[in-house]
Amino acid sequence: MLDIIIYVFSTVILAMWLMLPAYIANPMAVVFGGGTPIDMGMKWADGQRILGDGKTIRGLILGTACGIVSGLLQIYAASAFDILIVPTITAVITLSFGALLGDLVKSFFKRRIGFVRGAELPLIDQLDFVAGAWILTYIFDPVWFTENFISSPSIILTVLVLTPILHRLTNIFGYSIKLKKEPW
Ligand code: CTP
Ligand code: MG
């Protein structure tokens, strides 16, 4: 029993370590977001906003920047404390930017199916940034991505189960401190 607990615990820690730049980028876009929307208020052919007011230039840039800083700190920590699993610079960038790109693509399709900004799309709202981070990392650093994700399905599964839980908890917290308009 104890060995199972240790295995699950270490897998969760490893999953969080591998996903850290994305896990930082996403909420920091909420913290630092606001201001000019990325779509500049423009509408798509369907008459709806392209992305909506929830996707801003500041959120995208500062969220990505925070993710990259956290990844660079990981690379530093890995060398200082002899941690063997370390992100590449490329992965740090693609995990951070990919997370927010995934969120943005999600909003584009949300607007197309007529969901107004802030409306909840269960699971998709929680996993959009994981998909973006993974796809972009797979494209730009397939070796690192294969080594750390594709070759360990338990990590993939852990991220898919853990992320919606962490996302929910973070958003309830963000909502309670009035940082976010909706608790999702
Ligand atoms: N945010 C931002 N820029 C981004 C992403 C998020 O400024 N690139 C900020 C916005 O203030 C946004 C909030 O974080 O309202 C919450 O993000 P999210 O839940 O992703 O957006 P929603 O407002 O719910 O919009 P959507 O329906 O498009 O998901
Ligand atoms: Mg939302």
Side-chain angles (χ1 to χ4, degrees):
M1 186 61 192
L2 187 66
D3 49 343
I4 297 175
I5 295 173
I6 291 171
Y7 173 75
V8 171
F9 185 75
S10 55
T11 309
V12 167
I13 296 293
L14 178 57
M16 288 174 74
W17 173 257
L18 287 169
M19 290 300 290
L20 196 72
Y23 280 175
I24 296 289
N26 203 50
M28 287 305 130
V30 184
V31 172
F32 294 115
T36 311
I38 296 168
D39 67 9
M40 306 276 181
M42 286 185 295
K43 292 184 170 126
W44 193 250
D46 55 14
Q48 301 297 321
R49 288 284 296 275
I50 301 177
L51 299 172
D53 284 332
K55 303 295 114 130
T56 68
I57 296 173
R58 214 167 66 203
L60 180 66
I61 291 176
L62 294 181
T64 303
C66 289
I68 291 175
V69 168
S70 74
L72 295 178
L73 287 174
Q74 280 182 294
I75 294 176
Y76 170 75
S79 74
F81 304 108
D82 291 325
I83 300 167
L84 294 177
I85 294 159
V86 47
T88 59
I89 302 257
T90 305
V92 164
I93 297 168
T94 55
L95 286 171
S96 306
F97 185 63
L100 295 178
L101 203 61
D103 176 51
L104 213 124
V105 170
K106 183 269 319 262
S107 288
F108 175 79
F109 287 107
K110 241 170 133 177
R111 297 301 89 82
R112 302 294 69 78
I113 57 172
F115 278 61
V116 294
R117 171 256 179 111
E120 192 191 14
L121 213 53
L123 272 182
I124 296 177
D125 270 334
Q126 283 106 52
L127 292 173
D128 54 0
F129 78 97
V130 170
W134 282 352
I135 292 169
L136 215 64
T137 305
Y138 181 61
I139 294 172
F140 288 98
D141 198 343
V143 173
W144 185 84
F145 189 74
T146 304
E147 223 170 72
N148 293 288
F149 286 96
I150 296 183
S151 63
S152 48
S154 63
I155 289 291
I156 302 238
L157 186 72
T158 304
V159 171
L160 292 178
V161 174
L162 185 70
T163 304
I165 300 170
L166 288 177
H167 192 274
R168 201 45 160 225
L169 292 175
T170 321
N171 284 358
I172 290 171
F173 174 72
Y175 177 72
S176 71
I177 61 168
K178 299 196 166 34
L179 199 63
K180 227 175 163 288
K181 288 192 177 69
E182 306 86 12
W184 51 77

